[in-house]
Amino acid sequence: MKISRFPFPYLLLPVCLAVSGLNAQMPAPHLEKRGQTTQLIVDGAPFLMLSGELHNSSSSSLAYMEPIWPKLNALGLNTVVTPLSWELIEPEEGHYDYTLVDGLLKQAREAHEKIVFLWLASWKNGMSSYAPPWVKKDTTRFPRVVAHGEVVEVLSPQGAATEEADSRAFAALMRHIKEVDGNDHTVLMMQLENEVGVLGDTRDHSDAANKAFAGPVPAQLTAYLKAHHDTLYPRLRELWDANGDKTTGTWAEVFGDTARADEIFMAWNYGHFTQAVGARGKSEYNIPMYVNTWLGGDDATPGDYPSGCPEPWVMDIWRAAGTSIDIYSPDLYATNFVEWCRRYHRDGNPLYMPETRGEAAGAANVYYALGEEAGLGFSPFAIEREASDKDPLGESYATLAKIAPMILAHQQTGDIHGFVLDRDHRSVEFAMGDYALRVSLDNSFDGPTESAFGLIMATGNGEFLGAGKGFRVTFMPNPRTGPHVGIAYVEEGDFKDGKWIPGRRLNGDEDDQGEAWRFNPHAQSIEKIVLYRYE
Ligand code: DGJ
């Protein structure tokens, strides 16, 4: 008698049930060091967030959001950064309303989107407009910042009752999210507050703040500075060194009697408050939490930008105040995109930007962020404004989605480079294994290309996969003394279900008669190159 390998189909049933209940056994979304980098792990696998942040008020109405989801989906987003406000979650003290949370989750799931929620609570852009009216009205229990001698409409981070109320509401929200999403994992991360900090003055001058400022710097902070001295952000280390690396003293004694001490004082206070909110939330449901930053210029005075916001030079102060915040993020609208990415991708801080420019700038920058800085994702602001299938960002997201598993794998091994080129940054060079690559703006029939972007991964010895637009690559031996390098062949192609489907063989003008690997300046492409060596 012939014995079937699978004699009874129903024997497969427990397997199917186990598979359908898979998420229940999967840990919640979390950050994990894999190889050389830290990645967001969702249901057991690294996840690349091709995301965008909604306008501030869009997600306050489910009806308003309804027609937006399909557009975001068409733009190629897999994750939507979605505001949620304290005022709508806890309109009356102790009475929570989760209608919006549940509705947004339902809509997101129907649209096959993941969510990053923004907890707009005590502060948003330095102000306190998202606190519920019962908080706003009670200035005794929830004290305000004093700036230039005036009480302003901003909650003071000195307020213990404010910290407790914000933390309690956030904990309730996280408990609810765990209840309704603990198996599905639609919610990937939470942003705590939004661009905190004092505007218009270097610090809070309320009585409580003045008293704390005249008192000792907490030992928790100086112990951290001492333990991490060599890896502190250089500007902070130099400031502390210049004032004698003191481990005791008032804020002005330890950090000098300037606006920088005020900024560090505010960073500690906002950091302490926000870390506490995060910790309370995580005790209910532990998923990654991050804060975002209104970037100040290097020479700007704190207060011109929110004083105490986690600028790169005070990120260590925030870290000293607690461990619930996993990521410090830039809201990266600045034109020197690369420089700011480097400032935030440092010393164990993964790069994620919840807000940045979209359209053509975003279409280019996303390649740098994911390819060069092992970004967890990318997220232009006001995403629904640009949601159309003609958008250049959509072209980037469509291309990157096809190679996302490879990008994630190569982020772990480090053999990936991303770049953005323009008239002021015409070329970059880097080594990958036995090859030195020079990537530069290409020349098309219409003349020199004005801008280009892309990424390159080393897929084998002398084999590379690239994606992007408008650049050319020439190869040299690494070290430079080895046999010459020639192009064996170049293929354009596509990925279907993870499998490479070759398209045209690119030769002649398309690879400069074997001299250079070229990428079309008019449309993004994915290309593979195989090199050979000769004496
Ligand atoms: C930065 C803020 O974080 C956003 O919420 C939004 O207000 C934008 N600025 C406006 O451009």
Side-chain angles (χ1 to χ4, degrees), residues 80-116:
V80 182
V81 181
T82 308
L84 259 193
S85 65
W86 187 10
E87 61 173 341
L88 296 179
I89 297 283
E90 194 183 10
E92 280 175 60
E93 187 167 9
H95 292 98
Y96 300 104
D97 183 347
Y98 300 117
T99 317
L100 206 49
V101 183
D102 295 345
L104 290 168
L105 282 174
K106 182 169 178 285
Q107 290 182 339
R109 287 177 191 147
E110 283 166 5
H112 306 290
E113 295 287 350
K114 299 285 188 189
I115 279 188
V116 170

Side-chain angles (χ1 to χ4, degrees), residues 434-436 474-478 482-487 514 531-534:
D434 296 337
Y435 298 88
T474 49
F475 296 88
M476 288 148 291
N478 178 44
H484 299 297
V485 182
I487 294 178
L531 305 175
Y532 75 101
R533 308 295 292 261
Y534 63 97

Side-chain angles (χ1 to χ4, degrees), residues 126-434:
M127 304 304 288
S128 296
S129 57
Y130 282 88
W134 56 270
V135 173
K136 287 180 179 167
K137 286 183 208 158
D138 192 342
T139 54
T140 310
R141 187 171 157 212
F142 306 112
R144 302 300 143 103
V145 161
V146 174
H148 289 300
E150 297 282 332
V151 175
V152 289
E153 236 188 320
V154 174
L155 292 162
S156 168
Q158 298 287 331
T162 316
E163 183 182 303
E164 172 55 27
D166 189 331
S167 302
R168 201 183 49 212
F170 186 62
L173 170 65
M174 293 312 291
R175 195 178 317 131
H176 182 76
I177 292 178
K178 183 177 184 185
E179 269 166 32
V180 296
D181 195 51
N183 289 342
D184 285 293
H185 304 157
T186 300
V187 182
L188 302 182
M189 308 202 294
M190 301 296 294
Q191 178 183 298
L192 300 167
E193 315 293 342
N194 188 86
E195 295 188 347
V196 306
V198 170
L199 280 165
D201 204 342
T202 51
R203 71 169 172 88
D204 177 7
H205 286 88
S206 61
D207 289 346
N210 287 343
K211 194 165 165 233
F213 188 73
V217 174
Q220 184 183 338
L221 173 53
T222 52
Y224 184 96
L225 296 180
K226 200 170 164 202
H228 296 83
H229 178 270
D230 294 348
T231 53
L232 294 177
Y233 192 80
R235 183 164 164 180
L236 177 67
R237 188 177 59 238
E238 285 156 20
L239 183 82
W240 192 43
D241 288 351
N243 286 285
D245 291 334
K246 293 191 192 79
T247 52
T248 55
T250 65
W251 294 83
E253 284 165 356
V254 174
F255 299 108
D257 197 4
T258 71
R260 292 292 158 204
D262 289 2
E263 182 182 22
I264 291 170
F265 172 75
M266 290 319 301
W268 173 259
N269 284 290
Y270 281 111
H272 205 268
F273 184 118
T274 312
Q275 294 276 15
V277 174
R280 281 282 284 282
K282 278 190 165 182
S283 70
E284 296 294 343
Y285 186 39
N286 188 358
I287 57 174
M289 304 211 175
Y290 73 91
V291 286
N292 65 334
T293 313
W294 170 331
L295 300 180
D298 286 347
D299 301 323
T301 306
D304 292 347
Y305 59 89
S307 178
C309 209
E311 306 295 330
W313 46 89
V314 294
M315 193 198 290
D316 296 299
I317 307 293
W318 277 70
R319 284 172 147 185
T323 54
S324 74
I325 297 169
D326 301 290
I327 309 169
Y328 295 88
S329 293
D331 285 347
L332 220 177
Y333 299 98
T335 45
N336 47 347
F337 182 86
V338 165
E339 168 72 20
W340 283 102
C341 283
R342 289 184 183 148
R343 290 175 175 193
Y344 275 88
H345 181 208
R346 65 169 271 256
D347 192 19
N349 189 52
L351 183 67
Y352 178 67
M353 61 202 73
E355 295 183 38
T356 186
R357 293 161 190 241
E359 297 168 341
N365 290 338
V366 61
Y367 276 87
Y368 178 83
L370 306 185
E372 189 66 15
E373 304 290 346
L376 301 180
F378 191 79
S379 173
F381 181 70
I383 194 67
E384 65 272 50
R385 187 181 56 197
E386 67 177 286
S388 100
D389 54 5
K390 305 271 178 308
D391 193 278
L393 180 73
E395 191 187 7
S396 290
Y397 276 8
T399 309
L400 291 165
K402 290 177 187 165
I403 54 173
M406 291 183 76
I407 293 174
L408 289 160
H410 286 267
Q411 284 182 344
Q412 293 176 12
T413 47
D415 51 0
I416 178 169
H417 281 280
F419 39 84
V420 182
L421 305 176
D422 57 29
R423 278 192 191 166
D424 300 326
H425 310 88
R426 307 184 78 89
S427 66
V428 286
E429 291 185 21
F430 44 81
M432 298 180 95
D434 296 337

